[in-house]
Amino acid sequence: MKCLECETELDTLDAAHLSACCGLTVQEYALRHGFPLEMLVSPDACDRVEDEADWPASPHQGSRTALITWSALQTAGSVREGGGWQWIPGEIRMLDSLLWLQEQLHSLGFDFRQEYTTAGNSHRIVARNCLKRPPEKTPEVAFADMSEVERRDYAAIVLARAALRRDEYVFIQAPKSENLESLCQWLMSALDIDISHLDALDERHYVRTTSPDDTRRLIEGLLPQLRQIPGQEERLYEEGMRATIVKEQGIDAAHFITDHPGACANLHGGHYSVHFKIHDRIDPSTGFVMDYADLKRIVKSRIIEVLDHHTLNYAAPELTWRSSTEFLAIWMWERLIDYLPSLRELEIHETQTSYCQYRGPTLEEYRKVGPQSLLRHFQDTDLGLRRKREGKAPPLRVINQSE
Ligand SMILES: [Zn+2]
């Protein structure tokens, strides 16, 4: 087989040749030249069980840099354990970022692997990139014990592994931990930013910058450290190409319209088709505006689980009087905007010929104006009291009640 990088005829084109010839991994070579991995990786090279005895002796003390990096990876929820190994996964598009981590973690015995597997139902050879080692107990450095310089390095690694950009906001999705809490406190004081803690979704802890100004101060405050990690400035800071993606979700629900002159006054069932439209930058590290699966996960837990197979009028007090598509749209917007600041439009189809389009406030506007009073006429605590104060409470005529 001829290597398309150096034009040499070879018996086998393997990782050792590519590394020496062009610095590419087998997976990158396959992606560059449009080959399926099956053409470059033999079935024998798949699902190999590596011998732990080949690994350098443990335990590793680890340099201070390695321990800070290790602690950041723990906070970010990046360390996996299973099958007799401890490993830190990485995607091929961000390989340089993973190799940078390997340098930091070298003294803890972590080594880079590109492994090939036919496991699962993929029906093809799949490559996985990771840093791995036999399991060891390496203690985490408590945030309180880190110097200011170490805290900045640690913060940048947590962002590199657990943060993502949505619109003008940075979200951190990571397991709840003491170090994460301390990190948030420190970011607030050291970089003068405000951080919002959102309700967890699917047991994932959600933290986000409160405003676009906070995002700018966060990223620019840590830019020297982020620049040390390949690809992170591009991923979290730079502007780029934008696109709109749409996820459609169905909702089966009953509802009625109070005081309606037609049949809609009756309790009746229906199927709603809701189009959630997201406009944002295409993340260069994923090639997505947002993974449709992530969008679905947020919509499911914030909207679908509350409304589907329920009577809309009783699923939320804001909808009890009027469960119109217009009110539904505003209600959905208010439930989503904290998690999806790049939400641009909702389209709710009630029948094949009737639908509502709604564009609500941006997250920044919403933070200023708050929830819409339009939906909350009956929640106004002054509604009856005002009448009572003015002596205008409706006279109560009791019929059919014996004296
Ligand atoms: Zn070559």
Side-chain angles (χ1 to χ4, degrees), residues 118-192:
T118 54
N121 294 317
S122 64
H123 305 291
R124 64 189 190 99
I125 295 177
V126 174
R128 284 184 193 149
N129 298 284
C130 67
L131 310 180
K132 69 188 240 188
R133 71 174 186 183
E136 279 182 46
K137 289 241 178 296
T138 300
E140 276 182 67
V141 181
F143 192 81
D145 298 333
M146 294 178 199
S147 70
E148 283 297 298
V149 173
E150 288 170 344
R151 286 174 176 178
R152 285 178 180 268
D153 290 337
Y154 166 91
I157 297 169
V158 173
L159 288 185
R161 295 293 303 197
L164 53 92
R165 264 298 278 276
R166 276 185 198 146
D167 198 58
E168 299 301 308
Y169 298 83
V170 166
F171 285 73
I172 299 175
Q173 292 175 57
K176 216 175 168 71
S177 70
E178 227 168 85
N179 266 5
L180 180 65
E181 190 49 47
S182 307
L183 171 64
C184 290
Q185 292 294 337
W186 176 79
L187 287 172
M188 288 169 79
S189 60
L191 301 179
D192 185 29

Side-chain angles (χ1 to χ4, degrees), residues 57-345:
S58 59
H60 296 83
Q61 293 302 315
S63 65
R64 183 72 183 174
T65 301
L67 291 174
I68 297 293
T69 306
W70 169 254
S71 305
L73 291 168
Q74 289 283 359
T75 302
S78 287
V79 182
R80 313 261 190 281
E81 205 161 323
W85 298 94
Q86 224 164 26
W87 45 285
I88 296 147
E91 294 176 4
I92 193 64
R93 175 63 174 77
M94 298 301 282
L95 187 68
D96 289 327
S97 186
L98 189 66
L99 294 175
W100 180 86
L101 281 176
Q102 184 207 4
E103 284 173 26
Q104 314 300 303
L105 291 172
H106 189 70
S107 61
L108 284 173
F110 278 95
D111 213 356
F112 169 71
R113 288 288 181 277
Q114 184 170 93
E115 299 175 333
Y116 313 101
T117 178
T118 54
N121 294 317
S122 64
H123 305 291
R124 64 189 190 99
I125 295 177
V126 174
R128 284 184 193 149
N129 298 284
C130 67
L131 310 180
K132 69 188 240 188
R133 71 174 186 183
E136 279 182 46
K137 289 241 178 296
T138 300
E140 276 182 67
V141 181
F143 192 81
D145 298 333
M146 294 178 199
S147 70
E148 283 297 298
V149 173
E150 288 170 344
R151 286 174 176 178
R152 285 178 180 268
D153 290 337
Y154 166 91
I157 297 169
V158 173
L159 288 185
R161 295 293 303 197
L164 53 92
R165 264 298 278 276
R166 276 185 198 146
D167 198 58
E168 299 301 308
Y169 298 83
V170 166
F171 285 73
I172 299 175
Q173 292 175 57
K176 216 175 168 71
S177 70
E178 227 168 85
N179 266 5
L180 180 65
E181 190 49 47
S182 307
L183 171 64
C184 290
Q185 292 294 337
W186 176 79
L187 287 172
M188 288 169 79
S189 60
L191 301 179
D192 185 29
I193 62 171
D194 197 22
I195 287 180
S196 302
H197 293 258
L198 306 184
D199 291 340
L201 296 182
D202 287 350
E203 294 168 9
R204 284 194 222 193
H205 192 55
Y206 267 75
V207 173
R208 105 165 132 56
T209 49
T210 302
S211 74
D213 272 347
D214 295 316
T215 304
R216 189 180 48 74
R217 278 198 291 273
L218 170 67
I219 302 293
E220 290 178 1
L222 292 173
L223 208 49
Q225 288 76 26
L226 285 168
R227 280 189 173 136
Q228 290 173 12
I229 313 175
Q232 296 306 323
E233 183 181 6
E234 181 192 22
R235 194 175 79 83
L236 292 169
Y237 189 57
E238 288 174 6
E239 287 309 315
M241 305 287 290
R242 300 175 77 87
T244 303
I245 62 163
V246 184
K247 183 83 192 161
E248 191 212 330
Q249 288 280 283
I251 297 171
D252 294 310
H255 87 138
F256 58 85
I257 301 288
T258 308
D259 294 337
H260 192 265
C264 282
N266 300 332
L267 182 65
H268 61 284
H271 178 80
Y272 296 83
S273 162
V274 189
H275 299 234
F276 299 89
K277 302 182 187 181
I278 305 290
H279 183 78
D280 210 338
R281 183 189 66 138
I282 302 169
D283 182 338
S285 70
T286 62
F288 301 145
V289 162
M290 184 179 179
D291 188 338
Y292 287 108
D294 283 341
L295 177 52
K296 185 179 174 181
R297 196 166 47 79
I298 293 172
V299 164
K300 186 167 172 260
S301 77
R302 297 292 295 167
I303 305 292
I304 308 297
E305 282 173 5
V306 184
L307 300 183
D308 191 47
H309 285 71
H310 283 275
T311 302
L312 298 179
N313 303 61
Y314 303 128
E318 296 89 345
L319 303 173
T320 305
W321 166 66
R322 198 49 98 230
S323 54
S324 59
T325 48
E326 296 88 324
F327 269 42
L328 266 175
I330 297 168
W331 182 84
M332 286 183 191
W333 193 277
E334 293 179 355
R335 299 264 309 163
L336 290 173
I337 195 67
D338 260 320
Y339 294 83
L340 296 172
S342 37
L343 185 63
R344 280 300 171 272
E345 188 173 271

